[in-house]
Amino acid sequence: MFRFFKSRAPFEPLDQESRNYLEHNMWWLSHEYPQPPVNDREVLTPTEKHFPVNWDFSANSGKQTLAIIAKQMLINPDKIKLTYFSKPPKEINVGSSVIFLENDPTTPEAAGIYYEKKW
């Protein structure tokens, strides 16, 4: 009648190529950062629970956010230099979400400016 126990094929949200990519990168992360194990870390979400920061675009709120992320990644926040921009990020609506791009006057299509640590 209602077929509550009807057998269904398993739901696969990813195609095989995406699944391989995700599994490979999770494997890499678990080997690159073995302690604590990935399964023991809580996934941070952009919510008040994980980021109890009064975000007001100030240097202080940036430092508070950095401290939370650095703690999660087991990185000393004093080793990271924050750079602030005077222009707000450009918003691009892609239909299902909004992408924020940082404006760099020398490279207008840049999605941010990234630095690496020089050893």
Side-chain angles (χ1 to χ4, degrees), residues 37-83:
V38 173
N39 293 343
D40 294 346
R41 295 187 194 189
E42 184 174 10
V43 175
L44 299 183
T45 56
T47 61
E48 180 73 24
K49 174 185 174 190
H50 294 123
F51 292 92
V53 176
N54 180 23
W55 185 257
D56 57 5
F57 297 93
S58 69
N60 187 46
S61 61
K63 289 177 184 175
Q64 290 175 12
T65 303
L66 170 65
I68 294 167
I69 294 169
K71 180 179 179 185
Q72 174 73 0
M73 297 179 71
L74 304 174
I75 298 171
N76 180 350
D78 297 330
K79 303 265 184 189
I80 299 172
K81 178 183 175 191
L82 288 179
T83 304

Coordinates of all heavy atoms in Angstrom, one line a residue, residues 37-83:
P37 N 43.6 14.2 14.7 CA 43.0 13.7 13.5 C 41.8 14.5 13.0 O 41.1 15.1 13.8 CB 42.5 12.3 13.9 CG 43.4 12.0 15.1 CD 43.7 13.3 15.8
V38 N 41.7 14.5 11.7 CA 40.6 15.3 11.1 C 39.2 15.0 11.7 O 38.4 15.9 11.9 CB 40.6 15.1 9.5 CG1 39.4 15.8 8.9 CG2 41.9 15.7 8.9
N39 N 39.0 13.7 11.9 CA 37.7 13.3 12.5 C 37.5 13.9 13.9 O 36.3 13.9 14.3 CB 37.6 11.8 12.5 CG 37.6 11.2 11.1 OD1 37.3 11.9 10.2 ND2 37.8 9.9 11.0
D40 N 38.5 14.3 14.6 CA 38.4 14.8 15.9 C 38.2 16.3 15.9 O 38.0 16.9 17.0 CB 39.6 14.4 16.8 CG 39.7 12.9 17.0 OD1 38.7 12.2 16.8 OD2 40.8 12.5 17.5
R41 N 38.3 16.9 14.8 CA 38.2 18.4 14.7 C 36.8 18.8 14.4 O 36.1 18.2 13.6 CB 39.1 19.0 13.7 CG 40.6 18.8 13.9 CD 41.4 19.6 12.9 NE 42.8 19.1 13.0 CZ 43.7 19.7 12.3 NH1 43.5 20.7 11.6 NH2 45.0 19.3 12.4
E42 N 36.3 19.8 15.0 CA 35.0 20.3 14.7 C 35.1 21.2 13.5 O 36.0 22.0 13.3 CB 34.4 21.1 15.9 CG 33.0 21.6 15.7 CD 32.5 22.3 16.9 OE1 33.2 22.6 17.9 OE2 31.2 22.6 16.9
V43 N 34.1 21.1 12.6 CA 34.0 21.9 11.4 C 33.5 23.3 11.8 O 32.4 23.3 12.4 CB 33.2 21.3 10.3 CG1 33.0 22.2 9.1 CG2 33.8 19.9 9.9
L44 N 34.2 24.3 11.5 CA 33.8 25.7 11.9 C 32.8 26.1 10.8 O 33.1 26.0 9.6 CB 35.0 26.6 12.0 CG 36.0 26.3 13.0 CD1 37.1 27.4 13.0 CD2 35.4 26.2 14.4
T45 N 31.7 26.8 11.3 CA 30.8 27.4 10.3 C 30.7 28.9 10.7 O 31.0 29.3 11.8 CB 29.4 26.7 10.5 OG1 29.0 26.9 11.9 CG2 29.4 25.3 10.1
P46 N 30.3 29.7 9.7 CA 30.3 31.1 9.9 C 29.1 31.5 10.7 O 28.1 32.2 10.2 CB 30.3 31.7 8.5 CG 29.6 30.6 7.7 CD 30.1 29.3 8.3
T47 N 29.0 31.0 12.0 CA 27.9 31.3 12.8 C 28.4 31.9 14.2 O 29.6 31.9 14.5 CB 27.1 30.0 13.2 OG1 28.0 29.1 13.8 CG2 26.6 29.3 11.9
E48 N 27.5 32.4 14.9 CA 27.8 33.0 16.2 C 28.5 32.0 17.2 O 29.3 32.3 18.0 CB 26.5 33.6 16.9 CG 26.7 34.2 18.2 CD 27.5 35.5 18.2 OE1 27.4 36.2 17.1 OE2 28.1 35.9 19.2
K49 N 28.1 30.7 17.0 CA 28.6 29.6 17.8 C 30.1 29.5 17.6 O 30.9 29.4 18.6 CB 28.0 28.3 17.4 CG 28.6 27.1 18.1 CD 28.0 25.8 17.7 CE 28.7 24.6 18.3 NZ 28.3 23.3 17.7
H50 N 30.6 29.5 16.4 CA 32.0 29.3 16.2 C 32.8 30.7 16.1 O 34.0 30.7 16.3 CB 32.3 28.5 14.9 CG 31.8 27.1 15.0 ND1 30.9 26.6 14.1 CD2 32.1 26.2 15.9 CE1 30.6 25.4 14.5 NE2 31.3 25.1 15.5
F51 N 32.1 31.7 15.7 CA 32.8 33.0 15.6 C 32.0 34.1 16.4 O 31.3 34.9 15.8 CB 32.9 33.5 14.1 CG 33.8 32.6 13.3 CD1 33.3 31.5 12.6 CD2 35.2 32.9 13.2 CE1 34.2 30.7 11.9 CE2 36.0 32.1 12.5 CZ 35.5 31.0 11.9
P52 N 32.2 34.0 17.7 CA 31.5 35.0 18.6 C 32.2 36.4 18.5 O 32.7 36.9 19.5 CB 31.6 34.4 19.9 CG 32.8 33.6 19.9 CD 33.0 33.1 18.5
V53 N 32.3 36.9 17.3 CA 33.0 38.2 17.1 C 32.0 39.2 16.6 O 31.2 38.9 15.7 CB 34.1 38.0 16.0 CG1 34.7 39.3 15.6 CG2 35.1 36.9 16.4
N54 N 32.0 40.4 17.2 CA 31.2 41.5 16.7 C 31.9 42.1 15.5 O 32.7 42.9 15.6 CB 31.0 42.5 17.8 CG 30.1 43.7 17.3 OD1 29.3 43.5 16.4 ND2 30.2 44.8 18.0
W55 N 31.5 41.6 14.3 CA 32.3 42.0 13.1 C 31.9 43.4 12.7 O 30.7 43.6 12.3 CB 32.0 41.0 11.9 CG 32.8 41.3 10.7 CD1 32.4 42.0 9.6 CD2 34.2 41.1 10.6 NE1 33.4 42.1 8.8 CE2 34.6 41.6 9.3 CE3 35.2 40.5 11.4 CZ2 35.9 41.5 8.9 CZ3 36.5 40.4 10.9 CH2 36.8 40.9 9.7
D56 N 32.8 44.3 12.8 CA 32.6 45.7 12.5 C 33.6 46.3 11.5 O 33.8 47.4 11.4 CB 32.5 46.5 13.8 CG 33.8 46.4 14.6 OD1 34.8 45.8 14.1 OD2 33.8 47.0 15.7
F57 N 34.3 45.3 10.8 CA 35.3 45.7 9.8 C 36.5 46.4 10.5 O 37.3 47.0 9.8 CB 34.7 46.6 8.7 CG 33.7 45.8 7.9 CD1 32.4 46.0 8.2 CD2 34.1 45.0 6.8 CE1 31.4 45.3 7.5 CE2 33.1 44.4 6.1 CZ 31.8 44.5 6.4
S58 N 36.7 46.3 11.8 CA 37.8 46.9 12.5 C 39.0 45.9 12.5 O 38.8 44.7 12.3 CB 37.4 47.3 13.9 OG 37.2 46.1 14.7
A59 N 40.2 46.4 12.8 CA 41.4 45.6 13.0 C 41.1 44.6 14.1 O 41.6 43.5 14.1 CB 42.6 46.5 13.2
N60 N 40.5 45.1 15.2 CA 40.2 44.2 16.3 C 39.4 43.0 16.0 O 39.7 41.9 16.4 CB 39.6 45.0 17.5 CG 39.5 44.2 18.7 OD1 40.5 43.6 19.1 ND2 38.3 44.2 19.4
S61 N 38.3 43.2 15.2 CA 37.4 42.1 14.9 C 38.2 41.1 13.9 O 38.0 39.9 13.9 CB 36.1 42.5 14.3 OG 36.3 43.3 13.1
G62 N 39.1 41.7 13.1 CA 39.9 40.9 12.2 C 40.9 40.0 13.0 O 41.1 38.8 12.7
K63 N 41.5 40.6 14.1 CA 42.4 39.8 14.9 C 41.7 38.7 15.7 O 42.2 37.6 15.9 CB 43.1 40.8 15.9 CG 44.1 41.6 15.2 CD 44.8 42.6 16.1 CE 45.7 43.6 15.4 NZ 46.3 44.6 16.3
Q64 N 40.5 39.0 16.2 CA 39.7 38.0 16.9 C 39.3 36.9 16.0 O 39.4 35.7 16.4 CB 38.4 38.6 17.4 CG 38.6 39.6 18.6 CD 37.3 40.3 19.0 OE1 36.2 39.9 18.6 NE2 37.4 41.3 19.8
T65 N 39.0 37.2 14.7 CA 38.6 36.1 13.8 C 39.9 35.3 13.4 O 39.8 34.1 13.4 CB 38.0 36.7 12.5 OG1 36.9 37.5 12.9 CG2 37.6 35.7 11.5
L66 N 41.0 36.0 13.2 CA 42.3 35.3 13.0 C 42.6 34.3 14.1 O 43.0 33.2 13.9 CB 43.4 36.3 12.8 CG 44.8 35.7 12.7 CD1 45.0 34.8 11.5 CD2 45.8 36.8 12.7
A67 N 42.4 34.8 15.3 CA 42.8 33.9 16.5 C 41.9 32.6 16.5 O 42.5 31.6 16.8 CB 42.5 34.7 17.8
I68 N 40.7 32.7 16.1 CA 39.8 31.5 16.1 C 40.3 30.6 15.0 O 40.4 29.4 15.3 CB 38.3 32.0 15.9 CG1 37.8 32.7 17.1 CG2 37.5 30.7 15.6 CD1 36.5 33.5 16.9
I69 N 40.5 31.1 13.9 CA 41.0 30.2 12.7 C 42.3 29.6 13.0 O 42.6 28.5 12.8 CB 41.0 31.0 11.4 CG1 39.5 31.4 11.1 CG2 41.6 30.2 10.3 CD1 39.4 32.4 10.0
A70 N 43.3 30.4 13.5 CA 44.6 29.9 13.8 C 44.6 28.8 14.9 O 45.3 27.8 14.8 CB 45.5 31.1 14.3
K71 N 43.7 29.0 15.9 CA 43.6 28.0 16.9 C 43.1 26.7 16.3 O 43.6 25.6 16.6 CB 42.6 28.4 18.0 CG 42.4 27.4 19.1 CD 41.5 27.9 20.2 CE 41.3 26.9 21.2 NZ 40.3 27.3 22.2
Q72 N 42.1 26.8 15.4 CA 41.6 25.6 14.7 C 42.6 24.9 13.9 O 42.7 23.7 13.8 CB 40.4 26.0 13.9 CG 39.8 24.9 13.0 CD 39.0 23.9 13.8 OE1 38.9 23.9 15.0 NE2 38.5 22.9 13.1
M73 N 43.5 25.7 13.3 CA 44.5 25.1 12.4 C 45.8 24.8 13.1 O 46.8 24.4 12.4 CB 44.7 26.1 11.2 CG 43.5 26.3 10.4 SD 43.7 27.4 9.0 CE 44.8 26.4 8.0
L74 N 45.9 25.1 14.4 CA 47.1 24.8 15.2 C 48.3 25.7 14.7 O 49.4 25.2 14.5 CB 47.5 23.3 15.2 CG 46.4 22.4 15.7 CD1 46.8 20.9 15.5 CD2 46.0 22.7 17.1
I75 N 48.0 26.9 14.4 CA 49.0 27.9 13.9 C 49.1 29.0 14.9 O 48.1 29.5 15.5 CB 48.5 28.5 12.5 CG1 48.4 27.4 11.5 CG2 49.5 29.5 12.0 CD1 47.8 27.8 10.2
N76 N 50.3 29.5 15.1 CA 50.5 30.6 16.0 C 50.0 31.9 15.2 O 50.6 32.3 14.2 CB 52.0 30.7 16.3 CG 52.3 31.9 17.2 OD1 51.5 32.8 17.5 ND2 53.6 31.9 17.7
P77 N 49.0 32.6 15.8 CA 48.5 33.8 15.1 C 49.5 34.9 15.0 O 49.4 35.8 14.1 CB 47.3 34.2 15.9 CG 47.5 33.5 17.2 CD 48.3 32.3 17.0
D78 N 50.5 34.9 15.8 CA 51.5 35.9 15.8 C 52.4 35.8 14.6 O 53.1 36.7 14.2 CB 52.4 35.9 17.1 CG 51.6 36.2 18.3 OD1 50.6 37.0 18.2 OD2 51.9 35.7 19.4
K79 N 52.4 34.7 13.9 CA 53.2 34.4 12.7 C 52.5 34.9 11.4 O 53.0 34.8 10.3 CB 53.5 33.0 12.6 CG 54.3 32.4 13.8 CD 55.7 32.4 13.5 CE 56.4 31.8 14.7 NZ 57.8 31.9 14.7
I80 N 51.2 35.4 11.6 CA 50.4 35.8 10.4 C 50.3 37.3 10.4 O 49.9 37.9 11.4 CB 49.1 35.1 10.5 CG1 49.2 33.6 10.4 CG2 48.2 35.6 9.3 CD1 48.0 32.8 10.6
K81 N 50.5 37.9 9.3 CA 50.3 39.4 9.2 C 49.0 39.6 8.4 O 48.8 39.2 7.3 CB 51.5 40.0 8.4 CG 51.3 41.5 8.2 CD 52.4 42.0 7.3 CE 52.2 43.5 7.0 NZ 53.1 44.0 6.0
L82 N 48.1 40.4 9.1 CA 46.9 40.7 8.4 C 47.1 42.0 7.7 O 47.7 43.0 8.2 CB 45.8 40.9 9.5 CG 45.2 39.7 10.1 CD1 44.2 40.1 11.1 CD2 44.6 38.7 9.1
T83 N 46.5 42.1 6.5 CA 46.5 43.3 5.7 C 45.1 43.7 5.4 O 44.3 42.9 5.1 CB 47.3 43.1 4.3 OG1 48.6 42.6 4.6 CG2 47.4 44.3 3.5

